[in-house]
Amino acid sequence: DTGVSQDPRHKITKRGQNVTFRCDPISEHNRLYWYRQTLGQGPEFLTYFQNEAQLEKSRLLSDRFSAERPKGSFSTLEIQRTEQGDSAMYLCASSGDSMRGYTFGSGTRLTVV
Amino acid sequence: DAKTTQPPSMDCAEGRAANLPCNHSTISGNEYVYWYRQIHSQGPQYIIHGLKNNETNEMASLIITEDRKSSTLILPHATLRDTAVYYCIVRGSNTNAGKSTFGDGTTLTVKP
């Protein structure tokens, strides 16, 4: 069990550019979650997959955000035309069929300048 | 999912027990209580969960009141490394229950 991996750990981008983050969940986990966290706040839910199906999206996930999980394995989160307000930590988590809690990755810290 | 209420901050002396409270007065009968913690610059870490019975693992104990409207996470011998933000959340028992909703948690500071 290598845990949940997220890449990159840090990303600095100019406003208006597109960015893509990757998450590799624990291999036997069928559920994958994306959260966003700003300084001093708890994680905010963005979206959730069960296998390859995207089952829920937060209204926080504007049209500029898109997430995929092809083949039910790794997932990508893309932000188009980034804005300064997108600066945050983007967290990925995965879970299996048991009621045990999520396993989170270390996150990708995005800074939009 | 039911909402939870936690104090924004608490202090604890090193070596003493840390008791972190959580109110979840609108919890439903099939919702579990989960606790996570987050150390600075890391992702949250799952600690423990329970439905109505008290639970204990190698990290902590979880005490849930009989009416299930509140719970307490107990770190029996707090160390400086337990300084973190602790989140209490509730989530349905259906494994397809979807997302977990996090509040702002309790910042626990363990002091020497």
Side-chain angles (χ1 to χ4, degrees), chain A residues 82-103:
Chain A
T82 52
E83 302 172 356
Q84 286 190 320
D86 297 330
S87 295
M89 175 76 83
Y90 289 83
L91 292 162
C92 176
S94 68
S95 68
D97 289 330
S98 76
M99 291 306 297
R100 194 180 187 280
Y102 302 167
T103 301

Side-chain angles (χ1 to χ4, degrees), chain B residues 6-86:
Chain B
Q6 298 177 254
S9 63
M10 292 182 64
D11 291 342
C12 177
E14 187 178 19
R16 304 296 294 269
N19 298 288
L20 292 94
C22 179
N23 287 323
H24 31 79
S25 58
T26 60
I27 192 170
S28 302
N30 66 347
E31 288 182 316
Y32 283 71
V33 179
Y34 285 79
W35 284 84
Y36 292 80
R37 74 180 182 184
Q38 187 173 26
I39 296 171
H40 184 62
S41 297
Q42 298 181 20
Q45 177 191 23
Y46 162 78
I47 301 172
I48 198 167
H49 74 279
L51 182 63
K52 54 184 178 180
N53 297 322
N54 298 337
E55 302 287 345
T56 296
N57 64 20
E58 65 279 4
M59 293 182 67
S61 294
L62 173 60
I63 308 298
I64 302 174
T65 58
E66 190 170 346
D67 64 8
R68 303 206 327 118
K69 292 185 177 181
S70 66
S71 61
T72 301
L73 180 75
I74 301 173
L75 308 178
H77 305 287
T79 71
L80 299 178
R81 288 180 294 180
D82 291 323
T83 293
V85 180
Y86 287 78

Side-chain angles (χ1 to χ4, degrees), chain A residues 27-38:
Chain A
S27 57
E28 60 266 31
H29 284 179
N30 55 359
R31 295 176 186 84
L32 186 147
Y33 309 82
W34 285 100
Y35 284 80
R36 180 174 68 184
Q37 186 174 29
T38 53

